[in-house]
Amino acid sequence: EDQVTQSPEALRLQEGESSSLNCSYTVSGLRGLFWYRQDPGKGPEFLFTLYSAGEEKEKERLKATLTKKESFLHITAPKPEDSATYLCAVQARGAQKLVFGQGTRLTINP
Amino acid sequence: EAQVTQNPRYLITVTGKKLTVTCSQNMNHEYMSWYRQDPGLGLRQIYYSMNVEVTDKGDVPEGYKVSRKEKRNFPLILESPSPNQTSLYFCASSFGFRGGNTEAFFGQGTRLTVV
């Protein structure tokens, strides 16, 4: 069974304090790994797709990386507006669904 | 503007009273799906559709129905809602998972309470 585990569950940082969120996965052949951002009361917003180990993608203060067992979302010099829940999801080859982790709730204090 | 639109955003209903949550997308996406989000359980897929008239069960389909008569619409039907269906529901659409851009776009959510 495909599984995704995110850690930590919650993370509180000071503005400018860089850190990383972890997404560990087990999947029967990875088609893609996705990162989403979710603000309270809103739907998930797409951030990145990673397809193969070694791949990296960046967007503003965020960088996502992928290995064969896990993905990291690195946040560099975060700002309060980066506060949100970050969701990781995987899609297995041939599957028609995303399997989500439970998310990391990130709070950036000014 | 590309978007997935769900209605209603909030709904309180009584056990057993049939309800429909609508979902519409304007991106000509083939693939649409419904998820529910519960504390501690994350997002779980209810049903999905790969194209018009093609639907299939996700991980938690019990108590739900869907239909896909038009490409843009994918309503979620609760024939006889029960309190354990109280949840936050999301509709999502994408071009599908066969290749190319596969990211899913989500609606704003429908918070359903069944009393």
Side-chain angles (χ1 to χ4, degrees):
Chain A
E1 183 180 340
D2 302 333
Q3 284 191 322
V4 177
T5 303
Q6 292 186 246
S7 62
E9 287 187 18
L11 181 62
R12 190 178 293 270
L13 301 171
Q14 290 297 122
E15 184 173 1
E17 181 184 1
S18 301
S19 188
S20 297
L21 312 183
N22 178 262
C23 171
S24 297
Y25 64 91
T26 55
V27 65
S28 52
L30 181 69
R31 171 68 179 92
L33 184 141
F34 302 79
W35 281 98
Y36 285 85
R37 170 191 171 128
Q38 186 175 23
D39 293 300
K42 295 191 174 182
E45 176 187 344
F46 172 76
L47 293 173
F48 303 110
T49 310
L50 301 167
Y51 292 106
S52 57
E55 190 174 0
E56 298 183 354
K57 288 192 177 173
E58 288 189 63
K59 180 179 180 180
E60 296 181 353
R61 295 177 291 282
L62 300 176
K63 183 168 85 171
T65 62
L66 181 65
T67 73
K68 289 186 177 180
K69 294 183 179 180
E70 58 192 350
S71 176
F72 292 93
L73 185 65
H74 306 279
I75 302 176
T76 302
K79 298 180 178 182
E81 53 262 41
D82 295 321
S83 297
T85 295
Y86 290 85
L87 300 170
C88 174
V90 297
Q91 181 210 345
R93 291 187 199 280
Q96 294 299 329
K97 69 175 183 181
L98 297 176
V99 176
F100 281 87
Q102 293 191 26
T104 293
R105 188 173 65 254
L106 177 66
T107 304
I108 309 298
N109 294 318
Chain B
E1 180 188 355
Q3 59 185 4
V4 178
T5 303
Q6 294 179 228
N7 280 296
R9 292 289 312 280
Y10 302 93
L11 179 59
I12 301 175
T13 190
V14 296
T15 298
K17 185 176 181 182
K18 181 179 178 179
L19 66 91
T20 299
V21 183
T22 64
C23 173
S24 180
Q25 51 92 4
N26 63 1
M27 295 167 279
N28 200 34
H29 284 165
E30 296 171 340
Y31 184 91
M32 298 185 74
S33 60
W34 277 101
Y35 292 84
R36 60 178 290 173
Q37 187 174 37
D38 301 290
L41 296 176
L43 280 157
R44 295 177 293 166
Q45 191 183 57
I46 303 170
Y47 267 95
Y48 66 91
S49 168
M50 294 172 64
N51 214 323
V52 175
E53 302 292 2
V54 180
T55 64
D56 208 347
K57 297 177 181 179
D59 294 322
V60 287
E62 294 77 20
Y64 304 95
K65 285 176 56 177
V66 293
S67 68
R68 187 92 181 271
K69 292 182 170 42
E70 303 169 283
K71 195 171 186 178
R72 64 184 292 125
N73 296 323
F74 190 45
L76 179 68
I77 304 156
L78 284 72
E79 295 269 3
S80 183
S82 62
N84 65 10
Q85 292 178 296
T86 293
S87 186
L88 181 58
Y89 291 86
F90 289 103
C91 179
S93 75
S94 71
F95 281 114
F97 294 120
R98 293 169 302 200
N101 292 328
T102 58
E103 61 265 28
F105 294 83
F106 284 79
Q108 291 287 76
T110 295
R111 186 167 293 280
L112 172 66
T113 302
V114 184
V115 299

